[in-house]
PDB file of all heavy atoms in Angstrom:
ATOM      1  N   MET A  55      49.638 -27.267 -27.611  1.00  0.00           N
ATOM      2  CA  MET A  55      50.904 -26.943 -26.945  1.00  0.00           C
ATOM      3  C   MET A  55      52.059 -27.207 -27.897  1.00  0.00           C
ATOM      4  O   MET A  55      52.070 -28.193 -28.599  1.00  0.00           O
ATOM      5  CB  MET A  55      51.068 -27.794 -25.686  1.00  0.00           C
ATOM      6  CG  MET A  55      52.206 -27.342 -24.847  1.00  0.00           C
ATOM      7  SD  MET A  55      52.416 -28.313 -23.330  1.00  0.00           S
ATOM      8  CE  MET A  55      51.718 -29.878 -23.714  1.00  0.00           C
ATOM      9  N   LEU A  57      55.968 -27.922 -28.342  1.00  0.00           N
ATOM     10  CA  LEU A  57      57.204 -28.343 -27.680  1.00  0.00           C
ATOM     11  C   LEU A  57      58.246 -28.540 -28.766  1.00  0.00           C
ATOM     12  O   LEU A  57      58.026 -29.317 -29.687  1.00  0.00           O
ATOM     13  CB  LEU A  57      57.002 -29.678 -26.967  1.00  0.00           C
ATOM     14  CG  LEU A  57      56.133 -29.677 -25.721  1.00  0.00           C
ATOM     15  CD1 LEU A  57      55.951 -31.102 -25.226  1.00  0.00           C
ATOM     16  CD2 LEU A  57      56.760 -28.838 -24.639  1.00  0.00           C
ATOM     17  N   SER A  58      59.363 -27.849 -28.639  1.00  0.00           N
ATOM     18  CA  SER A  58      60.332 -27.970 -29.718  1.00  0.00           C
ATOM     19  C   SER A  58      61.015 -29.325 -29.662  1.00  0.00           C
ATOM     20  O   SER A  58      61.250 -29.883 -28.590  1.00  0.00           O
ATOM     21  CB  SER A  58      61.367 -26.859 -29.618  1.00  0.00           C
ATOM     22  OG  SER A  58      62.194 -27.092 -28.507  1.00  0.00           O
ATOM     23  N   LEU A  59      61.313 -29.852 -30.829  1.00  0.00           N
ATOM     24  CA  LEU A  59      62.141 -31.054 -30.942  1.00  0.00           C
ATOM     25  C   LEU A  59      63.435 -30.639 -31.614  1.00  0.00           C
ATOM     26  O   LEU A  59      63.425 -30.149 -32.736  1.00  0.00           O
ATOM     27  CB  LEU A  59      61.444 -32.119 -31.797  1.00  0.00           C
ATOM     28  CG  LEU A  59      62.339 -33.295 -32.236  1.00  0.00           C
ATOM     29  CD1 LEU A  59      62.751 -34.154 -31.045  1.00  0.00           C
ATOM     30  CD2 LEU A  59      61.638 -34.154 -33.282  1.00  0.00           C
ATOM     31  N   ARG A  88      54.262 -39.879 -23.518  1.00  0.00           N
ATOM     32  CA  ARG A  88      53.085 -40.170 -22.706  1.00  0.00           C
ATOM     33  C   ARG A  88      52.976 -39.182 -21.547  1.00  0.00           C
ATOM     34  O   ARG A  88      51.888 -38.694 -21.233  1.00  0.00           O
ATOM     35  CB  ARG A  88      53.142 -41.606 -22.175  1.00  0.00           C
ATOM     36  CG  ARG A  88      51.911 -41.947 -21.374  1.00  0.00           C
ATOM     37  CD  ARG A  88      51.819 -43.405 -21.072  1.00  0.00           C
ATOM     38  NE  ARG A  88      52.718 -43.783 -20.000  1.00  0.00           N
ATOM     39  CZ  ARG A  88      52.630 -44.938 -19.359  1.00  0.00           C
ATOM     40  NH1 ARG A  88      51.710 -45.819 -19.690  1.00  0.00           N
ATOM     41  NH2 ARG A  88      53.467 -45.223 -18.405  1.00  0.00           N
ATOM     42  N   ASN A  91      51.588 -36.050 -22.900  1.00  0.00           N
ATOM     43  CA  ASN A  91      50.150 -36.211 -23.183  1.00  0.00           C
ATOM     44  C   ASN A  91      49.324 -36.149 -21.907  1.00  0.00           C
ATOM     45  O   ASN A  91      48.172 -35.717 -21.919  1.00  0.00           O
ATOM     46  CB  ASN A  91      49.884 -37.561 -23.868  1.00  0.00           C
ATOM     47  CG  ASN A  91      50.360 -37.587 -25.310  1.00  0.00           C
ATOM     48  OD1 ASN A  91      50.755 -36.561 -25.868  1.00  0.00           O
ATOM     49  ND2 ASN A  91      50.335 -38.758 -25.921  1.00  0.00           N
ATOM     50  N   GLU A  92      49.924 -36.613 -20.813  1.00  0.00           N
ATOM     51  CA  GLU A  92      49.203 -36.617 -19.539  1.00  0.00           C
ATOM     52  C   GLU A  92      49.289 -35.274 -18.829  1.00  0.00           C
ATOM     53  O   GLU A  92      48.744 -35.115 -17.742  1.00  0.00           O
ATOM     54  CB  GLU A  92      49.758 -37.725 -18.628  1.00  0.00           C
ATOM     55  CG  GLU A  92      49.341 -39.107 -19.088  1.00  0.00           C
ATOM     56  CD  GLU A  92      49.993 -40.213 -18.275  1.00  0.00           C
ATOM     57  OE1 GLU A  92      50.980 -39.951 -17.561  1.00  0.00           O
ATOM     58  OE2 GLU A  92      49.500 -41.354 -18.372  1.00  0.00           O
ATOM     59  N   TYR A 100      61.927 -31.510 -26.496  1.00  0.00           N
ATOM     60  CA  TYR A 100      62.588 -32.804 -26.692  1.00  0.00           C
ATOM     61  C   TYR A 100      63.912 -32.593 -27.403  1.00  0.00           C
ATOM     62  O   TYR A 100      64.052 -31.693 -28.244  1.00  0.00           O
ATOM     63  CB  TYR A 100      61.749 -33.717 -27.572  1.00  0.00           C
ATOM     64  CG  TYR A 100      60.323 -33.942 -27.150  1.00  0.00           C
ATOM     65  CD1 TYR A 100      59.278 -33.262 -27.794  1.00  0.00           C
ATOM     66  CD2 TYR A 100      60.010 -34.850 -26.148  1.00  0.00           C
ATOM     67  CE1 TYR A 100      57.958 -33.495 -27.442  1.00  0.00           C
ATOM     68  CE2 TYR A 100      58.688 -35.088 -25.799  1.00  0.00           C
ATOM     69  CZ  TYR A 100      57.669 -34.403 -26.445  1.00  0.00           C
ATOM     70  OH  TYR A 100      56.369 -34.637 -26.103  1.00  0.00           O
ATOM     71  N   PRO A 148      53.433 -55.493 -29.465  1.00  0.00           N
ATOM     72  CA  PRO A 148      54.289 -55.318 -30.646  1.00  0.00           C
ATOM     73  C   PRO A 148      54.607 -53.852 -30.971  1.00  0.00           C
ATOM     74  O   PRO A 148      55.751 -53.532 -31.310  1.00  0.00           O
ATOM     75  CB  PRO A 148      53.474 -55.950 -31.778  1.00  0.00           C
ATOM     76  CG  PRO A 148      52.501 -56.843 -31.114  1.00  0.00           C
ATOM     77  CD  PRO A 148      52.246 -56.309 -29.749  1.00  0.00           C
ATOM     78  N   ARG A 151      57.115 -52.505 -28.536  1.00  0.00           N
ATOM     79  CA  ARG A 151      58.461 -53.059 -28.766  1.00  0.00           C
ATOM     80  C   ARG A 151      59.143 -52.438 -29.986  1.00  0.00           C
ATOM     81  O   ARG A 151      60.363 -52.363 -30.036  1.00  0.00           O
ATOM     82  CB  ARG A 151      58.387 -54.578 -28.943  1.00  0.00           C
ATOM     83  CG  ARG A 151      58.255 -55.320 -27.641  1.00  0.00           C
ATOM     84  CD  ARG A 151      58.606 -56.784 -27.803  1.00  0.00           C
ATOM     85  NE  ARG A 151      57.669 -57.491 -28.659  1.00  0.00           N
ATOM     86  CZ  ARG A 151      56.460 -57.890 -28.284  1.00  0.00           C
ATOM     87  NH1 ARG A 151      56.038 -57.638 -27.055  1.00  0.00           N
ATOM     88  NH2 ARG A 151      55.666 -58.532 -29.109  1.00  0.00           N
ATOM     89  N   ASN A 152      58.346 -52.016 -30.971  1.00  0.00           N
ATOM     90  CA  ASN A 152      58.941 -51.346 -32.138  1.00  0.00           C
ATOM     91  C   ASN A 152      59.447 -49.951 -31.787  1.00  0.00           C
ATOM     92  O   ASN A 152      60.195 -49.353 -32.548  1.00  0.00           O
ATOM     93  CB  ASN A 152      57.913 -51.226 -33.270  1.00  0.00           C
ATOM     94  CG  ASN A 152      57.696 -52.539 -33.984  1.00  0.00           C
ATOM     95  OD1 ASN A 152      58.570 -53.410 -33.969  1.00  0.00           O
ATOM     96  ND2 ASN A 152      56.538 -52.698 -34.613  1.00  0.00           N
ATOM     97  N   MET A 153      59.019 -49.409 -30.672  1.00  0.00           N
ATOM     98  CA  MET A 153      59.383 -48.041 -30.296  1.00  0.00           C
ATOM     99  C   MET A 153      60.349 -48.016 -29.112  1.00  0.00           C
ATOM    100  O   MET A 153      61.274 -47.212 -29.078  1.00  0.00           O
ATOM    101  CB  MET A 153      58.105 -47.259 -29.934  1.00  0.00           C
ATOM    102  CG  MET A 153      57.097 -47.211 -31.080  1.00  0.00           C
ATOM    103  SD  MET A 153      55.466 -46.607 -30.568  1.00  0.00           S
ATOM    104  CE  MET A 153      55.830 -44.867 -30.310  1.00  0.00           C
ATOM    105  N   LYS A 229      51.391 -60.121 -22.270  1.00  0.00           N
ATOM    106  CA  LYS A 229      51.942 -58.766 -22.349  1.00  0.00           C
ATOM    107  C   LYS A 229      51.324 -57.730 -21.430  1.00  0.00           C
ATOM    108  O   LYS A 229      51.206 -56.578 -21.793  1.00  0.00           O
ATOM    109  CB  LYS A 229      51.869 -58.233 -23.790  1.00  0.00           C
ATOM    110  CG  LYS A 229      52.500 -59.130 -24.810  1.00  0.00           C
ATOM    111  CD  LYS A 229      53.922 -59.415 -24.492  1.00  0.00           C
ATOM    112  CE  LYS A 229      54.401 -60.592 -25.299  1.00  0.00           C
ATOM    113  NZ  LYS A 229      55.583 -61.235 -24.820  1.00  0.00           N
TER     114      LYS A 229
ATOM    115  N   GLU B 273      52.517 -27.813 -35.704  1.00  0.00           N
ATOM    116  CA  GLU B 273      53.172 -27.263 -34.518  1.00  0.00           C
ATOM    117  C   GLU B 273      54.251 -28.218 -34.064  1.00  0.00           C
ATOM    118  O   GLU B 273      54.028 -29.435 -34.039  1.00  0.00           O
ATOM    119  CB  GLU B 273      52.151 -27.095 -33.400  1.00  0.00           C
ATOM    120  CG  GLU B 273      51.747 -25.664 -33.209  1.00  0.00           C
ATOM    121  CD  GLU B 273      50.735 -25.529 -32.113  1.00  0.00           C
ATOM    122  OE1 GLU B 273      50.972 -26.076 -31.018  1.00  0.00           O
ATOM    123  OE2 GLU B 273      49.706 -24.891 -32.372  1.00  0.00           O
ATOM    124  N   SER B 274      55.392 -27.669 -33.692  1.00  0.00           N
ATOM    125  CA  SER B 274      56.498 -28.505 -33.232  1.00  0.00           C
ATOM    126  C   SER B 274      56.049 -29.340 -32.028  1.00  0.00           C
ATOM    127  O   SER B 274      55.335 -28.851 -31.158  1.00  0.00           O
ATOM    128  CB  SER B 274      57.664 -27.603 -32.843  1.00  0.00           C
ATOM    129  OG  SER B 274      58.722 -28.381 -32.376  1.00  0.00           O
ATOM    130  N   GLY B 275      56.456 -30.594 -31.996  1.00  0.00           N
ATOM    131  CA  GLY B 275      56.107 -31.468 -30.873  1.00  0.00           C
ATOM    132  C   GLY B 275      54.766 -32.155 -31.025  1.00  0.00           C
ATOM    133  O   GLY B 275      54.350 -32.899 -30.139  1.00  0.00           O
ATOM    134  N   GLN B 296      45.776 -42.001 -25.419  1.00  0.00           N
ATOM    135  CA  GLN B 296      46.972 -41.158 -25.575  1.00  0.00           C
ATOM    136  C   GLN B 296      48.075 -41.569 -24.597  1.00  0.00           C
ATOM    137  O   GLN B 296      48.957 -40.800 -24.274  1.00  0.00           O
ATOM    138  CB  GLN B 296      46.666 -39.661 -25.343  1.00  0.00           C
ATOM    139  CG  GLN B 296      45.335 -39.209 -25.842  1.00  0.00           C
ATOM    140  CD  GLN B 296      45.373 -38.605 -27.236  1.00  0.00           C
ATOM    141  OE1 GLN B 296      46.441 -38.297 -27.762  1.00  0.00           O
ATOM    142  NE2 GLN B 296      44.220 -38.437 -27.839  1.00  0.00           N
ATOM    143  N   GLN B 297      47.993 -42.798 -24.121  1.00  0.00           N
ATOM    144  CA  GLN B 297      48.974 -43.296 -23.147  1.00  0.00           C
ATOM    145  C   GLN B 297      49.681 -44.551 -23.627  1.00  0.00           C
ATOM    146  O   GLN B 297      50.430 -45.161 -22.868  1.00  0.00           O
ATOM    147  CB  GLN B 297      48.264 -43.670 -21.838  1.00  0.00           C
ATOM    148  CG  GLN B 297      47.632 -42.527 -21.131  1.00  0.00           C
ATOM    149  CD  GLN B 297      47.068 -42.969 -19.806  1.00  0.00           C
ATOM    150  OE1 GLN B 297      46.738 -44.146 -19.626  1.00  0.00           O
ATOM    151  NE2 GLN B 297      46.981 -42.054 -18.865  1.00  0.00           N
ATOM    152  N   LEU B 311      54.646 -51.529 -37.004  1.00  0.00           N
ATOM    153  CA  LEU B 311      53.501 -51.024 -36.241  1.00  0.00           C
ATOM    154  C   LEU B 311      53.971 -50.033 -35.180  1.00  0.00           C
ATOM    155  O   LEU B 311      54.944 -50.282 -34.467  1.00  0.00           O
ATOM    156  CB  LEU B 311      52.801 -52.201 -35.555  1.00  0.00           C
ATOM    157  CG  LEU B 311      51.463 -51.867 -34.903  1.00  0.00           C
ATOM    158  CD1 LEU B 311      50.404 -51.602 -35.968  1.00  0.00           C
ATOM    159  CD2 LEU B 311      51.021 -53.002 -33.981  1.00  0.00           C
ATOM    160  N   LEU B 313      52.519 -46.720 -32.320  1.00  0.00           N
ATOM    161  CA  LEU B 313      51.422 -45.987 -31.707  1.00  0.00           C
ATOM    162  C   LEU B 313      51.579 -44.522 -32.100  1.00  0.00           C
ATOM    163  O   LEU B 313      52.550 -43.870 -31.706  1.00  0.00           O
ATOM    164  CB  LEU B 313      51.483 -46.153 -30.188  1.00  0.00           C
ATOM    165  CG  LEU B 313      51.403 -47.611 -29.748  1.00  0.00           C
ATOM    166  CD1 LEU B 313      51.720 -47.751 -28.268  1.00  0.00           C
ATOM    167  CD2 LEU B 313      50.034 -48.191 -30.065  1.00  0.00           C
ATOM    168  N   CYS B 315      49.996 -42.015 -31.133  1.00  0.00           N
ATOM    169  CA  CYS B 315      49.810 -41.059 -30.033  1.00  0.00           C
ATOM    170  C   CYS B 315      51.109 -40.788 -29.286  1.00  0.00           C
ATOM    171  O   CYS B 315      51.217 -39.802 -28.570  1.00  0.00           O
ATOM    172  CB  CYS B 315      48.741 -41.534 -29.049  1.00  0.00           C
ATOM    173  SG  CYS B 315      49.226 -42.931 -28.013  1.00  0.00           S
ATOM    174  N   THR B 317      54.177 -41.055 -30.940  1.00  0.00           N
ATOM    175  CA  THR B 317      55.208 -40.802 -31.952  1.00  0.00           C
ATOM    176  C   THR B 317      55.131 -39.333 -32.344  1.00  0.00           C
ATOM    177  O   THR B 317      54.042 -38.836 -32.645  1.00  0.00           O
ATOM    178  CB  THR B 317      54.934 -41.680 -33.194  1.00  0.00           C
ATOM    179  OG1 THR B 317      54.952 -43.051 -32.802  1.00  0.00           O
ATOM    180  CG2 THR B 317      55.973 -41.446 -34.282  1.00  0.00           C
ATOM    181  N   LEU B 318      56.243 -38.644 -32.331  1.00  0.00           N
ATOM    182  CA  LEU B 318      56.223 -37.252 -32.790  1.00  0.00           C
ATOM    183  C   LEU B 318      56.239 -37.243 -34.316  1.00  0.00           C
ATOM    184  O   LEU B 318      57.035 -37.946 -34.947  1.00  0.00           O
ATOM    185  CB  LEU B 318      57.430 -36.480 -32.258  1.00  0.00           C
ATOM    186  CG  LEU B 318      57.546 -36.352 -30.732  1.00  0.00           C
ATOM    187  CD1 LEU B 318      58.687 -35.402 -30.373  1.00  0.00           C
ATOM    188  CD2 LEU B 318      56.239 -35.863 -30.116  1.00  0.00           C
ATOM    189  N   GLU B 382      49.222 -62.637 -30.112  1.00  0.00           N
ATOM    190  CA  GLU B 382      50.400 -61.828 -29.792  1.00  0.00           C
ATOM    191  C   GLU B 382      50.356 -60.488 -30.563  1.00  0.00           C
ATOM    192  O   GLU B 382      50.621 -59.421 -30.008  1.00  0.00           O
ATOM    193  CB  GLU B 382      51.648 -62.639 -30.157  1.00  0.00           C
ATOM    194  CG  GLU B 382      52.969 -61.905 -30.141  1.00  0.00           C
ATOM    195  CD  GLU B 382      53.399 -61.518 -28.751  1.00  0.00           C
ATOM    196  OE1 GLU B 382      53.168 -62.295 -27.817  1.00  0.00           O
ATOM    197  OE2 GLU B 382      53.964 -60.417 -28.619  1.00  0.00           O
ATOM    198  N   ALA B 383      49.996 -60.560 -31.835  1.00  0.00           N
ATOM    199  CA  ALA B 383      50.033 -59.369 -32.688  1.00  0.00           C
ATOM    200  C   ALA B 383      49.046 -58.300 -32.234  1.00  0.00           C
ATOM    201  O   ALA B 383      49.305 -57.105 -32.377  1.00  0.00           O
ATOM    202  CB  ALA B 383      49.759 -59.750 -34.144  1.00  0.00           C
ATOM    203  N   SER B 385      47.994 -57.996 -29.117  1.00  0.00           N
ATOM    204  CA  SER B 385      48.024 -57.935 -27.649  1.00  0.00           C
ATOM    205  C   SER B 385      48.140 -56.507 -27.117  1.00  0.00           C
ATOM    206  O   SER B 385      47.868 -56.259 -25.952  1.00  0.00           O
ATOM    207  CB  SER B 385      49.158 -58.802 -27.092  1.00  0.00           C
ATOM    208  OG  SER B 385      50.408 -58.331 -27.548  1.00  0.00           O
TER     209      SER B 385
END
Side-chain angles (χ1 to χ4, degrees):
Chain A
M55 190 179 26
L57 289 175
S58 71
L59 167 68
R88 182 169 77 165
N91 287 352
E92 287 174 344
Y100 306 102
R151 281 197 294 283
N152 284 336
M153 301 168 72
K229 306 303 164 199
Chain B
E273 256 179 50
S274 179
Q296 323 265 347
Q297 296 185 335
L311 189 71
L313 301 170
C315 72
T317 301
L318 298 188
E382 169 69 37
S385 62

